[in-house]
Amino acid sequence: QVQLQESGPGLVKPSQTLSLTCTVSGGSITTGGAVWGWIRQPPGKGLEWMGAIDTSGSCYYNPSLKSRTSISRDTSKNQFTLQLSSVAPGDTAVYYCARGNQGWGPWGQGTQVTVSS
């Protein structure tokens, strides 16, 4: 059974770079037809897809966030990482990682990130 777990700081200062890691167990991020993605939900708003990385390492980004977003992976640890630069209070959200394969699932439990000085 595939499981995902997000990790990273809960508080980031404005203008800094947010970095989150998703650790995957029960399945490899380098095999199969899935993509591995990041999705966030700001308080009181809907889900926003941020980007994903496929099994070959190719990345896909939400155009509205592309200039600030980078996704990478560490295949030796079966992890993939989100970096979001120049964060602002509007980037405060619960951040989720998830597997995408004809729909998103399973999901990690999510991690709250607050952008504040």
Side-chain angles (χ1 to χ4, degrees), residues 57-78:
S58 297
C59 296
Y60 310 89
Y61 299 109
N62 184 327
S64 68
L65 297 170
K66 185 176 181 178
S67 64
R68 300 195 292 129
T69 306
S70 177
I71 296 174
S72 60
R73 65 181 185 175
D74 185 336
T75 57
S76 68
K77 296 180 180 179
N78 213 36

Side-chain angles (χ1 to χ4, degrees), residues 14-72:
S15 80
Q16 291 187 340
T17 296
L18 163 67
S19 183
L20 296 174
T21 296
C22 183
T23 301
V24 179
S25 59
S28 172
I29 64 172
T30 63
T31 61
V35 296
W36 304 89
W38 289 97
I39 300 154
R40 69 180 182 178
Q41 186 168 29
K45 297 184 179 180
L47 295 169
E48 179 180 34
W49 176 75
M50 301 183 70
I53 186 167
D54 69 17
T55 53
S56 68
S58 297
C59 296
Y60 310 89
Y61 299 109
N62 184 327
S64 68
L65 297 170
K66 185 176 181 178
S67 64
R68 300 195 292 129
T69 306
S70 177
I71 296 174
S72 60

